[in-house]
Amino acid sequence: MRITIDHSAKTPVYLQIKQAILAAIRDGKLVPGARLLATRELAQQLGVNRSTVAMAYDELLADGVVESFVGRGTFVARQTLAEVTALEGRASRQPPNRKMVWEGVFSERAQSPVVESLLDLYQVSTLRDVISFSGSFPDAGSFPTRDFRNSLHFAERTLGDEVYRYGPVAGYERLREYLAQRMREGGSDVTAENIIVTSGSQQALDLIARALISPGDTVAIENPTYPGAMTAFALAGARLLPIPVDEDGLCVEVLENVLRVQRPKLVYVVPSFQNPTGACLSWERRRRLLALAREHNLPIVEDDYGSHLRFDGDALPHLKALDDTEHVIYVSNFSKSLLPGLRIGWCAAARPVITRLMAFKQNSDITTSPLLQSALWDFCRRKRYDAHLQKIRPIYHARRDVMLKRLEADFPSGTVWTRPAGGLFLWVTLPTALDATELLYQVRQQGVVFSRGRLFYSDNPKRNTLRLSYGHVTLEQIERGMRVIGTTAKAMLGRGASRAAERFHTQTVPLV
Amino acid sequence: MRITIDHSAKTPVYLQIKQAILAAIRDGKLVPGARLLATRELAQQLGVNRSTVAMAYDELLADGVVESFVGRGTFVARQTLAEVTALEGRASRQPPNRKMVWEGVFSERAQSPVVESLLDLYQVSTLRDVISFSGSFPDAGSFPTRDFRNSLHFAERTLGDEVYRYGPVAGYERLREYLAQRMREGGSDVTAENIIVTSGSQQALDLIARALISPGDTVAIENPTYPGAMTAFALAGARLLPIPVDEDGLCVEVLENVLRVQRPKLVYVVPSFQNPTGACLSWERRRRLLALAREHNLPIVEDDYGSHLRFDGDALPHLKALDDTEHVIYVSNFSKSLLPGLRIGWCAAARPVITRLMAFKQNSDITTSPLLQSALWDFCRRKRYDAHLQKIRPIYHARRDVMLKRLEADFPSGTVWTRPAGGLFLWVTLPTALDATELLYQVRQQGVVFSRGRLFYSDNPKRNTLRLSYGHVTLEQIERGMRVIGTTAKAMLGRGASRAAERFHTQTVPLV
């Protein structure tokens, strides 16, 4: 028998030896009862450690392929060829007994309904053959891939191995400075020291939740709101305190009443093009919200995923720009306005907050890719980000307009919808007889999907609501898809819609 | 007074109006007592919404720059020029009163000693002017930047906008398949379905901790061990149960005794080139550990940061390769063996574990950059990763050898050290009279740093220990730096070292 060892192979040497012996038995070169070389001899012959050969023999022994007798040696056992063949290529010799029982092993938080909903929803689908109004994805056709490639090359060439090392926990210094300067231009009083770069704004929300929420704390949130914020706070142990949303955003006067009797740990708010309604928090409410924060020493988490996506009317100031008392923790990203796949967002807040977030960031993933951060910085300083915003705003504007036109033309009377001045989606409330889940089931069969409104509620979901994203659909797809939804809704109303409303409640749709 | 509005500017329009009025007052174009245009008139003149002008007036009013009288209008107030000048450019008109008080607002976990230690240690330094044996960084001079650039270009060019979209939560499909295949070649029984790609192995540890640990659960860990694992488990609420390490790795027989009286939720182990000792878990202990896992339905988290960095002797099988009962959760990455800045690692485990990790991954950062994942896949399938491993192993081998030589030659008698067969560092135990903190203080002044051993202990730290990394120092730096440490240690021993040992306990050094 000849065994050839390949030390550069990925298969461990002991396993190569085991496999060679199995092959020799299969090929009849080693017959039952034949004596194997002593470990020392074979080790010498192969130029490997004796313990390596011993490992191979141990495995064969445990598999029952060989037998060992003290003082006599190791011999090929008397078994059938089929048994050897079955063993070949298997690394381990334990019979598949005592399988790990995972039930009951997971943490309490892993068994929460939040995780169940995430398990249901995790398939952030890149649906190809359907017209999708679900997800809040930006227009992939407008991605500035070529410009960004230039910035990638620039970063690599000028920064060299730096971009492949571990970077600073708080982020690439020049990107932090750029972000701070940009925020100062918008009226916020921040420097690079107030900024931490994160892996998207989802990570910022998760870090904030872990740094601020103790189990049992209450978080005031809009109802409906962004599901990723609900999961971040809930998984940190928060109870969610839903505050209604109207056409002027969070109902601050309701929050004010709530604050008379409850003491939430923080309030989470999406002031611009609220997710999912598209509403903008009014000027008066912004000021009132800040006054409440000051009165109650209440941190505000401002999720600004999209104020830079305004295509209609004038900008309102960020809450952070109105905040000279350090109550606002500002969160934003480049996922909706530029490239989701960069996974780059940031958080701007008072220094005591930032230092805590840095600790949790280091624990979460140490640092965000310096290559992508430095390329993004280069892209921004060359004004390519501003140019991109100029380019995409009219695109989304036109898409929203067609959405509105089709809502007017194709949807059942009694349907109500929002008219967002920016962002990527609008919010539709159907006549109460209609159930969005049943509607989704019907239109899916015609190649159209959307996000059911119920996914966005922490309390008292309105089953006749839907979020329609226009970010990643063409004008033509909007015309066709909206007509499908509208005419299907009308038909359902016509034949008594509530009939089948209960039967479809586990559809998997994307969550972002 | 003429106001010019720039709608494309980043400064909000209301703020432009406010600033223009402040400027007009400063320049004497608007004098105290002058009446401002009604909001409706100015809005018409500027072509902006009336509410935008109202916002600007509101701010000026709150700042005391103008006065408003019902039915009469808004007038420039009687104040000094200096006051106006001070206000210019400030976005907010609230006096800096009622500043947010952050004390006591952070979560219980944010106030734990773990976070304090992270706050101390977060500066993952890229020290430039010193010889650094701290951190466990790979050799930046060997980074295959050019080859990786080719793979980046390939990914961009062939996959197009795909690499900039949100990717699947579990990771880029082809990378998962590659990783599964590679693990199968090493004897593990896994498919792509058993793999989740993470943002480095730190994220994998954090996700595992959150999915498995409920507050109060116990985690058996090596003592000393990797601090990032300690923080991940501790922040999920775990109590750490330290098990000693010797030259054959985790003392499995101690664990066995512990299991008779305690029931940890899982055991965390670094079988290859243990961090920080460099020890390898012996073949016998690997088998015994798996038998214990089966006996106690005990999950094993196998942190394999570096088995591919072996330069001496034959490979031992991964615990995962011996595991046909799904007890092992395997974690690995490309940070030590390729490029830390990619922030790509992975976890291989039974499917029930993977689905939970996917839920927590979505909550943590949704997905890891598809661009970097697909470029890495291309790099691997072109065999560039294997080529890189072939290239760097002898480099680390040579560095370790010089370390050993210098330990022999320069260090005080009574010093003991490990001889790792791979990986990036070794572990030194000085004569007990010496304190590594004091030694660090002394050698820093001579431009040399290392990691004090006490950072790696969860219990009963040995103050005379140090971890010396040879990953990112040249042979010449090793010669010089080790001589500095050795001769300084000898000198300290000579003059009675314990004298100053207490005075220096907050030095900031990197953690990885």
Side-chain angles (χ1 to χ4, degrees), chain A residues 7-8 10-11 13-14 48-49 52 55 58-59 90-94 97-102 105-110 118-119 122 128 137 140 143 145 148-149 152-153 156 161-162 164-166 169 182 185 187 199 202-203 206 210-214 231-232 235-236 265 283 287 294 297 299 314 316-317 321-322 324-327 329 335-336 339-341 343 350 352-353 355 358-359 362-367 369-370 372 386 390 511-512, chain B residues 7-8 10-11 13-14 48-49 52 55 58-59 62 91-94 97-102 105-110 118-119 122 128 137 140 143 145 148-149 152-153 156 161-162 164-166 169 182 185 187 199 202-203 206 210-214 231-232 235-236 265 283 287 294 297 299 314 316-317 321-322 324-327 329 335-336 339-341 343 350 352-353 355 358-359 362-367 369-370 372 386 390 511-512:
Chain A
H7 284 276
S8 71
K10 272 167 286 188
T11 306
V13 170
Y14 85 96
V48 303
N49 290 336
T52 304
M55 274 159 50
D58 272 358
E59 290 240 345
R90 279 191 46 216
S92 176
R93 78 286 66 142
Q94 294 283 348
N97 58 3
R98 299 231 208 198
K99 252 199 146 168
M100 178 74 198
V101 181
W102 285 104
V105 174
F106 296 107
S107 65
E108 288 155 23
R109 69 178 82 77
L118 281 166
L119 288 178
Y122 60 71
R128 288 259 176 233
F137 306 125
F143 285 172
T145 48
F148 197 80
R149 180 186 310 154
L152 270 175
H153 296 188
E156 280 178 334
D161 61 53
E162 194 70 31
Y164 292 116
R165 298 182 188 216
Y166 287 105
V169 174
R182 197 174 176 94
E185 286 166 13
S199 301
Q202 184 64 37
Q203 183 177 63
D206 186 41
R210 296 176 83 176
L212 270 81
I213 302 303
S214 297
T231 63
L235 285 176
K265 192 59 171 289
W283 168 243
R287 295 184 62 161
R294 290 192 191 100
N297 201 52
D314 291 319
L316 286 156
L322 302 173
D324 55 3
T325 49
E326 303 198 328
H327 286 75
I329 302 174
S335 302
K336 311 302 182 186
L339 298 169
R343 310 307 308 124
V353 178
T355 53
M358 285 167 73
Q362 166 142 336
N363 182 64
S364 280
D365 62 2
I366 302 181
T367 181
S369 161
L372 296 180
D386 294 320
Q390 302 274 11
L511 187 69
V512 291
Chain B
H7 283 277
S8 71
K10 271 166 287 188
T11 306
V13 171
Y14 86 96
V48 302
N49 290 335
T52 304
M55 274 160 48
D58 273 358
E59 290 240 345
S92 176
R93 76 286 68 138
Q94 295 281 351
N97 58 2
R98 299 232 207 199
K99 249 199 152 169
M100 178 75 199
V101 181
W102 284 105
V105 174
F106 296 106
S107 64
E108 287 155 23
R109 68 178 80 78
L118 280 165
L119 288 177
Y122 60 70
R128 288 256 178 235
F137 306 125
F143 285 173
T145 48
F148 198 80
R149 180 187 308 153
L152 270 175
H153 296 189
E156 278 178 338
D161 60 52
E162 195 68 31
Y164 291 116
R165 298 183 189 216
Y166 286 105
V169 174
R182 198 175 173 94
E185 286 166 12
S199 301
Q202 183 64 37
Q203 183 176 63
D206 186 41
R210 296 176 83 177
L212 270 81
I213 302 303
S214 298
T231 63
L235 285 176
K265 192 60 170 290
W283 168 242
R287 295 184 62 161
R294 290 192 190 101
N297 202 51
D314 291 319
L316 286 158
L322 301 174
D324 54 4
T325 49
E326 303 199 326
H327 286 75
I329 302 174
S335 302
K336 310 302 181 187
L339 298 169
R343 310 306 309 124
V353 178
T355 53
M358 286 167 72
Q362 166 142 337
N363 182 65
S364 280
D365 63 2
I366 301 181
T367 182
S369 162
L372 296 180
D386 294 319
Q390 301 274 12
L511 187 69
V512 293

Side-chain angles (χ1 to χ4, degrees), chain B residues 180-212:
Chain B
Q181 191 207 316
R182 198 175 173 94
M183 289 187 69
R184 280 197 302 275
E185 286 166 12
S188 297
D189 182 21
V190 294
T191 72
E193 288 292 290
N194 298 109
I195 305 267
I196 179 171
V197 178
T198 56
S199 301
S201 56
Q202 183 64 37
Q203 183 176 63
L205 295 176
D206 186 41
L207 300 181
I208 291 165
R210 296 176 83 177
L212 270 81

Side-chain angles (χ1 to χ4, degrees), chain A residues 183-203:
Chain A
M183 289 188 68
R184 280 197 301 274
E185 286 166 13
S188 297
D189 182 21
V190 295
T191 71
E193 287 292 290
N194 299 107
I195 306 267
I196 178 170
V197 178
T198 56
S199 301
S201 55
Q202 184 64 37
Q203 183 177 63

